[in-house]
Amino acid sequence: MTRIYLDNASTTPVAPEIVEAIMPFLSEQFGNASSIHAFGQVTRNALELAREEVAKEIGAKPSEVFFTSSGTEADNLALKGTVLARLGEPFQMITSKLEHKAVLESVYWLQKKFKVAVDFIAHDERGRLDLDDLKKKLRPNYRQLISIMHANNELGNINPIKEITAIAKSTNALVHTDAVQSAGKLKLNVDELGVDLMAISGHKFYAPKGIGAIYIRTGTPIESLLHGGTHERNRRASTENVAFSVALAKALKQSHAELQQINSHVALLRHVFLETLTKNGVPFQVNGDSEHHLPHILNLSFPIPTKQKLAGDVLLLALDAAGIAVSSGSACTSGTAKPSHVLLALGKTEHDARASVRVSFSKFNTVEEVTEAARRFADVLKRLL
Ligand code: PLP
């Protein structure tokens, strides 16, 4: 049985040309980018070129781009760093219950440790945010950070960040967007979006795991979380990961160059998958915002009767046994046997959340394998329906 990987929102395979771009930095070009000798200069130049490329791709200045170890670290820095910069002043954090845990757990931690006031923007059953509610929740006498993801990693919903930053202006609130899921899928421009902070992560667009970047608009008050050397212009101490920074920059540039092509390919795969399920008689509901969504993510619920006890990840395991890799939402929560916090926040019961899966496509998936996956999917589901 061939295994079919449809969990690309968790992580993508590393593209061969990205592996190729990394290799010199794992062999002859090994210098520490902070060393002054020639070995260091070679890697320093490569690192700064990578920074320039990332900056160009997102419409920023190179001095506003900082490499991190991951999207999680970038989110943590955005949230914790802005609160730490304003310690002692009343601080309000506005977010939504649909955010990734990298944001939500940081918010809860800040609430507990630093008494940060936290408000959640209301949303409907499709995960669409209520911007009137955001206007009502802004507390003008507080320092504020609004943290709303650019696109939701479980549903694929694209959030109206431009509208949010326009609202934020009324009280001078800072805006952070977790763009980990949309970077490389949508062309992001920090000025058009109007954000002060933005997190991205390489492994969502064909670079390796363990490299991210944060955009920090010039003048944004923010404290560092890692102290030590003066790396990343004092924002993040630790020897730079030149190989993976180069990989992230190249992968982002390449994704943007292939954007239309990849997006129409994954949209076709999404369509083929749904059509094949329908042809095979499987009833389903598509979760999320049907109008504004990323083309590669599909979140589906199936009307599995409650007499079928879907404890833990039963559905995912049954699909895995059939050779299909999908997930129940964020990889960080799958395996914990807890249903998706996003689906629960949409008002689903635990059973219905467990009767849901996220299928996500990449440029490497083919129509043939997606058709085959949907057929196997239907066989597994028919046993449960
Ligand atoms: N934010 C979102 C929306 C994500 O989808 C992910 C990864 O799943 C992260 C943050 C965390 O990124 P990383 O895996 O690079 O830590």
Side-chain angles (χ1 to χ4, degrees):
M1 178 184 67
T2 48
R3 294 202 168 269
I4 303 173
Y5 185 77
L6 298 180
D7 195 15
N8 294 283
S10 292
T11 195
T12 54
V14 183
E17 56 280 14
I18 302 300
V19 175
E20 212 178 295
I22 294 169
M23 293 319 280
F25 300 99
L26 300 182
S27 50
E28 70 270 20
Q29 294 176 20
F30 61 87
N32 184 325
S34 296
S35 301
I36 40 177
H37 48 60
F39 291 85
Q41 291 312 303
V42 170
T43 45
R44 164 62 52 194
N45 287 343
L47 182 69
E48 294 315 320
L49 191 62
R51 197 187 310 285
E52 277 167 32
E53 280 175 357
V54 173
K56 188 165 166 225
E57 293 302 319
I58 62 170
K61 298 187 201 102
S63 59
E64 296 174 318
V65 173
F66 303 86
F67 290 107
T68 62
S69 66
S70 62
T72 298
E73 188 194 324
D75 282 335
N76 270 259
L77 175 56
L79 274 69
K80 295 175 182 171
T82 48
V83 170
L84 291 178
R86 296 294 188 192
L87 266 194
E89 299 178 56
F91 201 104
Q92 180 193 21
M93 188 77 73
I94 306 183
T95 185
S96 109
K97 295 243 166 89
L98 308 174
E99 292 293 307
H100 189 271
K101 294 276 180 176
V103 165
L104 282 178
E105 291 302 322
S106 296
V107 167
Y108 294 136
W109 185 82
L110 287 164
Q111 185 178 36
K112 200 165 125 205
K113 293 279 180 195
F114 297 104
K115 309 273 178 288
V116 166
V118 177
D119 290 287
F120 294 98
I121 307 178
H123 58 261
D124 68 9
E125 75 295 342
R126 292 201 161 269
R128 291 171 294 203
L129 299 174
D130 177 350
L131 297 192
D132 287 329
D133 188 51
L134 166 62
K135 287 179 199 155
K136 284 185 217 140
K137 290 206 165 129
L138 282 167
R139 305 185 195 194
N141 298 325
Y142 284 67
R143 297 285 183 186
Q144 298 154 320
L145 177 73
I146 302 172
S147 181
I148 291 294
M149 63 208 318
H150 189 250
N152 187 282
N153 52 303
E154 297 198 26
L155 304 170
N157 287 11
I158 300 168
N159 287 319
I161 300 298
K162 265 195 231 178
E163 283 88 329
I164 289 173
T165 54
I167 294 170
K169 284 208 175 73
S170 66
T171 58
N172 285 325
L174 294 173
V175 179
H176 165 58
T177 194
D178 171 345
V180 167
Q181 206 53 240
S182 50
K185 318 285 168 23
L186 302 173
K187 191 94 173 66
L188 304 174
N189 180 296
V190 289
D191 282 342
E192 270 173 32
L193 292 172
V195 292
D196 302 289
L197 299 137
M198 183 170 86
I200 67 172
S201 177
H203 73 104
K204 307 293 183 180
F205 49 89
Y206 312 103
K209 284 156 269 299
I211 185 73
I214 184 167
Y215 160 76
I216 305 177
R217 187 175 290 281
T218 306
T220 305
I222 188 160
E223 281 289 328
S224 305
L225 301 185
L226 296 186
H227 299 98
T230 57
H231 311 89
E232 298 294 294
R233 293 181 309 291
N234 280 317
R235 285 257 188 265
R236 180 184 188 271
S238 76
T239 303
E240 298 91 343
N241 186 344
V242 178
F244 283 17
S245 303
V246 167
L248 180 143
K250 186 172 166 83
L252 187 62
K253 197 170 160 185
Q254 185 158 321
S255 297
H256 285 166
E258 297 171 348
L259 208 68
Q260 304 296 345
Q261 203 185 326
I262 299 176
N263 284 350
S264 42
H265 178 64
V266 292
L268 171 70
L269 297 178
R270 195 176 187 273
H271 173 74
V272 166
F273 190 85
L274 288 178
E275 218 179 42
T276 313
L277 278 189
T278 307
K279 269 193 208 145
N280 282 274
V282 175
F284 58 81
Q285 182 202 323
V286 180
N287 298 316
D289 184 348
S290 50
E291 273 173 56
H292 305 102
H293 66 84
L294 292 173
H296 70 295
I297 294 183
L298 192 52
N299 195 306
L300 299 173
S301 290
F302 304 97
I304 299 174
T306 44
K307 69 174 191 299
Q308 299 278 7
K309 296 270 177 271
L310 294 176
D313 289 326
V314 164
L315 181 53
L316 291 189
L317 294 173
L319 290 165
D320 189 48
I324 302 161
V326 290
S327 81
S328 56
S330 161
C332 314
T333 33
S334 40
T336 59
K338 280 191 195 149
S340 147
H341 71 279
V342 171
L343 295 180
L344 295 181
L346 294 190
K348 289 201 184 293
T349 62
E350 286 210 5
H351 173 86
D352 288 345
R354 289 189 201 283
S356 308
V357 294
R358 177 187 69 184
V359 185
S360 48
F361 308 98
S362 85
K363 64 177 179 180
F364 295 122
N365 290 125
T366 63
V367 168
E368 292 69 33
E369 66 178 350
V370 165
T371 311
E372 170 62 17
R375 276 198 216 110
R376 289 191 210 168
F377 214 96
D379 289 343
V380 170
L381 277 161
K382 277 182 196 157
R383 295 203 297 268
L384 294 167
L385 287 169

